[in-house]
Amino acid sequence: MENTVFGGQAQSPAYDFRVYDQVWHRVSPGTDPFAEDPDAAGMTAPPAAAETVPSVEPAQMTATPRQEGNLPGAERNPCCMGTEAQESLEVVEGFLQEELAESRCCQSLACRVRNPQAARLLRQAASEKRAAARELCAAYFLMTGKPYTPSITVEHLRWENLPQAMRAYYHQEACGGLNYQRAADETLDPCLTKLFLRLSEQSYRRADAVMELLGKLIC
C-alpha cells in the first residue's frame, strides 16, 4: 500500500521507518524499539546502584528544656541588678523614700507660691521626682523580686518668704545630686551606676534652675 502524507502527495521512498531503525541502532545497538516485551528487547534499564547514605544520628525532635538558671531573668547572679547590687539595696530604699517625700513637698509648695515661674519649676520638679521614684521602685524589684511599699512621712515646713524656700530647695537638690554621684561611684553594679548618674544629673540641673530663679528674685 502506498504511503501518503497530508495533501494526498506520495511520500518519498526515503521517508520510511528504516531510516529511524538505523538511527536507533546507532544510538542504542542491540535493542528492538518495537518489541512488545521491553525486557526481551533489552530496553529495561538496569537497576541503579543503591546510593550510599552516610549514617547520621537522628536529631532530637524536641529541644532539651533549659535549666531554670539559664532562662532570661532567672539567673542566680545576672550581670545587672544581681549580687553586686544587693550591697546598695538600703541606698536605693533611702533614695526612693526621699524622692517621694520631696515630690509631695514640691507639689505642696507649688500650690502656695504666687510667682508663676517658681510654681512651674516646682511642679516640674515634683513630676520628675515621682518618675525617679518609679525607676527606683523598678530597680528594687529587679534586685529582690518583690515590690517595695514605702512608708513616707512628709514634714510640713514653713519659710519666711519665697527666696528662703527656694534657698532650702536649692540645697536639697544640690545635696541630692552629690549623694547620687557618691552612690554611683561606690556601687559595682553597672546598671545602678547608670541610674544613679542620671538622677544625679537631674538633681544638679534642677539646682541650676533654682539658682537662676533666685537671681531674678533677689537681685
Side-chain angles (χ1 to χ4, degrees), residues 35-118:
E36 295 183 357
D37 186 3
D39 292 334
M43 296 179 61
T44 305
E51 183 179 358
T52 304
V53 180
S55 59
V56 180
E57 293 295 331
Q60 296 181 354
M61 299 302 295
T62 57
T64 304
R66 291 184 179 184
Q67 299 295 329
E68 182 181 356
N70 295 331
L71 295 175
E75 293 88 346
R76 294 184 177 181
N77 188 22
C79 60
C80 270
M81 302 299 180
T83 302
E84 301 293 351
Q86 293 293 327
E87 299 180 2
S88 302
L89 186 59
E90 293 183 0
V91 176
V92 171
E93 294 181 28
F95 283 143
L96 202 161
Q97 293 180 2
E98 288 180 4
E99 293 289 4
L100 288 175
E102 292 172 4
S103 172
R104 295 183 180 182
C105 182
C106 289
Q107 188 65 42
S108 175
L109 185 58
C111 296
R112 289 183 290 169
V113 299
R114 297 181 179 180
N115 184 288
Q117 187 175 355

